[in-house]
Amino acid sequence: MKKITLEVNGKPYALECPDSELLIETLRDRLGLLGTKYSCLEGECGACTVLLNGENILSCLALSVEADNAEITTIEGLAKGSEPHPLQRSFVDKGAVQCGFCTPGMILAGKALLDKNPHPTDDEIARGLDGNLCRCTGYIKIIDAVRHASKK
Amino acid sequence: MPLLKEFRYHSPATVGEALKLADKSKEPLLLAGGTLVLNYLKRSPRCPSDVIGLKKIKALEGIKDSKEGVSVGAMTTIAELLDSALIKKSFPSLIQACARIATTPIRNMATIGGNCCSRFYWVDLPAVLESLGAKVVVATSRKKQIVSLRDFLSSKPSKKAVVTRILFPRKDLWGCYFRYTKTMDVDIPSLGLAFACRRNNSKCADVRIIVNTTTSLPLELKQTQKLFEARELGRIDPNQVRECLDADAKGTKLDEYRLSCLAADLGNLK
Ligand SMILES: Cc1cc2nc3c(=O)[nH]c(=O)nc-3n(C[C@H](O)[C@H](O)[C@H](O)COP(=O)(O)OP(=O)(O)OC[C@H]3O[C@@H](n4cnc5c(N)ncnc54)[C@H](O)[C@@H]3O)c2cc1C
Ligand code: FES
Ligand code: FES
């Protein structure tokens, strides 16, 4: 067991977790942040995406002990109170959500992209989201939504 | 049920400490970006007793330029290589290869050291690094040595050796990397071709052509290299290219499909 400190969505957490625990397990099973999804668990789908110090990473491929002292953002941390984040608003406005399983990861990947490149081209958006799979939408509306958010 | 079996995690601050931990451990495992090895651990019946994280070791970081060449820390991520102005200017073929590796989040996590040390034949970087004459600095508790990437890849893997840096002694090489996949999507390669040479008044010199066959160590195309030596790109008879490729392919697993891809790419070089 190791003692670690994580700052998740702006809130500090002092935790004791097994050395071999994955970040996805800590976020979901200890902190109850269920927006981070268990899916392929092999780095293929992006449903477990979180931001680690601002970069989109896959929480199914990261040890929690290695995130000690890091800032983590999950989908639960984007809205300000009852006001959704502009990307969340755009995903709703553009109909970019169907079953919603990929949506947290998509939005976080979109956020990492826009923080780095506020006015991406469609190709840059597609590349920024290349680690996130969606079984429902066909991607067009997701790209529309990120483009729309970049114009706000 | 937890996704990984239990192990002890260590986070040494120096290469020396990492090596001491590895030497003392019954079953050590070095952890870089984790994109390969953590996946493997989820499925493997075996479990290391000690996982030694390399993230806190400063000596494994950074991209440095000097008269002796470029030195890249083993923990440099693929995304950091893609963002580096020095790598973009000096090694366009390395940028081409990095841009095709996996996906954005994997590129944010995966390291050049992990790619070279994975010992999987299909990974992208060994072929392109070999074409650029890269060497690796390997540290063990007994010694630290600089060896060619080829010698490193041909040697017996050790769990008690840390690759600290990748060295590029030459900055005067132009190069490119072609990569084929089975699907149009993000996919691991089914073939890779790394070409490098010095461009001497539009003629090629010191030509290196290395193929990522995905089923064996990177393959040097010696006959084809000879054909390109002192010749101008775009002015080489495609039939001659194919003849040399056929000679190089003898005794290898390069099939007709792969050979025709290689012939087309080499024929189109400009
Ligand atoms: C979905 C997916 C897609 C992928 N696609 C590609 C692709 O297209 N092309 C490609 O090339 N790869 C691909 N990979 C594989 C992998 O992401 C890369 O090869 C990556 O560079 C491995 O680096 P890492 O830092 O994550 O290594 P790790 O997983 O941390 O380590 C890999 C191995 O190297 C050893 N090691 C790491 N660093 C050192 C060091 N400094 N000294 C000694 N030993 C060390 C470890 O002990 C381990 O055995 C993919 C992986 C996934 C999950
Ligand atoms: S669950 Fe992590 S990438 Fe699919
Ligand atoms: S909306 Fe269903 S997987 Fe994307």
Side-chain angles (χ1 to χ4, degrees):
Chain A
M1 296 290 258
K2 290 257 181 326
K3 286 191 175 143
I4 59 167
T5 308
L6 303 181
E7 192 183 309
V8 184
N9 301 329
K11 224 168 121 183
Y13 292 89
L15 302 166
E16 200 166 313
C17 62
D19 294 22
S20 51
E21 188 161 291
L22 290 164
L23 188 54
I24 189 171
E25 298 174 300
T26 306
L27 293 172
R28 284 184 60 95
D29 305 342
R30 282 180 198 277
L31 305 186
L33 296 168
L34 303 182
T36 308
K37 303 296 182 201
Y38 278 121
S39 186
C40 71
L41 297 174
E42 292 196 346
E44 297 275 355
C45 75
C48 66
T49 300
V50 297
L51 305 185
L52 184 92
N53 297 327
E55 270 192 346
N56 50 326
I57 62 120
L58 303 172
S59 60
C60 73
L61 290 181
L63 291 180
S64 299
V65 285
E66 293 218 313
D68 190 17
N69 291 319
E71 276 177 31
I72 294 160
T73 307
T74 68
I75 193 66
E76 290 87 349
L78 287 201
K80 290 221 165 78
S82 60
E83 185 54 38
H85 185 276
L87 267 162
Q88 291 173 308
R89 183 82 275 155
S90 290
F91 268 63
V92 174
D93 291 348
K94 292 286 164 186
V97 183
Q98 286 187 27
C99 79
F101 198 77
C102 70
T103 311
M106 285 287 182
I107 290 181
L108 289 167
K111 181 172 184 332
L113 170 73
L114 295 185
D115 288 347
K116 217 174 159 187
N117 176 5
H119 303 292
T121 61
D122 280 7
D123 281 352
E124 287 166 338
I125 296 173
R127 186 162 166 83
L129 304 182
D130 63 359
N132 297 76
L133 299 181
C134 174
R135 291 182 55 180
C136 307
T137 65
Y139 301 102
I140 305 280
K141 291 185 176 193
I142 291 175
I143 293 178
D144 281 353
V146 176
R147 187 193 319 106
H148 187 246
S150 75
K151 301 220 161 97
K152 282 188 188 164
Chain B
M1 212 175 71
L3 291 163
L4 296 176
K5 293 180 197 76
E6 272 185 39
F7 51 72
R8 274 186 306 274
Y9 173 81
H10 309 266
S11 182
T14 64
V15 175
E17 270 176 48
L19 292 169
K20 260 195 211 136
L21 285 162
D23 269 353
K24 272 203 298 196
S25 164
K26 206 161 72 194
E27 183 76 30
L29 179 86
L30 301 172
L31 177 69
T35 59
L36 269 175
V37 91
L38 291 181
N39 266 347
Y40 165 78
L41 288 185
K42 284 177 204 154
R43 285 185 294 244
S44 168
R46 289 179 62 183
C47 180
S49 55
D50 299 271
V51 168
I52 302 165
L54 302 176
K55 284 204 172 112
K56 294 235 168 90
I57 306 180
K58 287 266 175 289
L60 308 188
E61 290 175 3
I63 302 175
K64 296 180 195 156
D65 195 11
S66 73
K67 267 196 273 163
E68 287 77 48
V70 174
S71 159
V72 176
M75 287 298 284
T76 305
T77 64
I78 306 301
E80 285 167 341
L81 289 169
L82 284 167
D83 282 344
S84 159
L86 176 63
I87 300 294
K88 276 187 205 155
K89 187 171 128 245
S90 314
F91 308 118
S93 56
L94 181 55
I95 293 288
Q96 285 164 1
C98 288
R100 296 291 307 276
I101 289 180
T103 58
T104 304
I106 301 261
R107 290 189 291 269
N108 286 340
M109 303 172 85
T111 65
I112 185 172
N115 203 286
C116 295
C117 298
S118 75
R119 307 282 178 153
F120 280 102
Y121 288 140
W122 54 266
V123 293
D124 278 289
L125 296 186
V128 70
L129 293 176
E130 207 181 316
S131 75
L132 295 168
K135 297 178 184 241
V136 291
V137 183
V138 188
T140 62
S141 54
R142 270 168 295 118
K143 61 182 177 196
K144 180 166 146 185
Q145 53 174 350
I146 299 177
V147 295
S148 71
L149 184 68
R150 158 113 339 206
D151 286 347
F152 172 70
L153 294 175
S154 319
S155 65
K156 198 166 156 252
S158 162
K159 291 182 176 163
K160 301 187 174 186
V162 176
V163 167
T164 61
R165 305 200 71 85
I166 312 338
L167 308 178
F168 299 81
R170 299 183 62 166
K171 287 188 283 181
D172 57 347
L173 295 174
W174 172 85
C176 51
Y177 182 70
F178 300 92
R179 179 187 195 269
Y180 289 82
T181 53
K182 288 203 179 112
T183 66
M184 292 285 283
D185 299 316
V186 173
D187 199 354
I188 60 169
S190 53
L191 178 71
L193 167 68
F195 182 97
C197 73
R198 199 154 48 79
R199 307 218 38 187
N200 207 352
N201 296 328
S202 79
K203 300 241 168 86
C204 300
D206 302 343
V207 179
R208 301 271 295 156
I209 307 177
I210 312 290
V211 173
N212 174 6
T213 66
T214 74
T215 52
S216 65
L217 282 177
L219 179 71
E220 183 179 358
L221 301 184
K222 292 192 174 146
Q223 298 293 325
T224 318
Q225 281 174 181
K226 266 194 214 144
L227 176 69
F228 277 77
E229 203 61 44
R231 304 281 292 275
E232 222 172 293
L233 290 180
R235 297 197 166 211
I236 301 170
D237 177 2
N239 294 324
Q240 273 187 309
V241 174
R242 184 57 210 247
E243 273 168 32
C244 290
L245 281 172
D246 285 340
D248 282 322
K250 277 206 184 101
T252 74
K253 287 191 183 150
L254 284 176
D255 56 14
E256 179 51 37
Y257 167 69
R258 289 182 170 80
L259 284 170
S260 53
C261 294
L262 295 174
D265 286 336
L266 287 167
N268 288 332
L269 279 175
K270 285 203 179 70

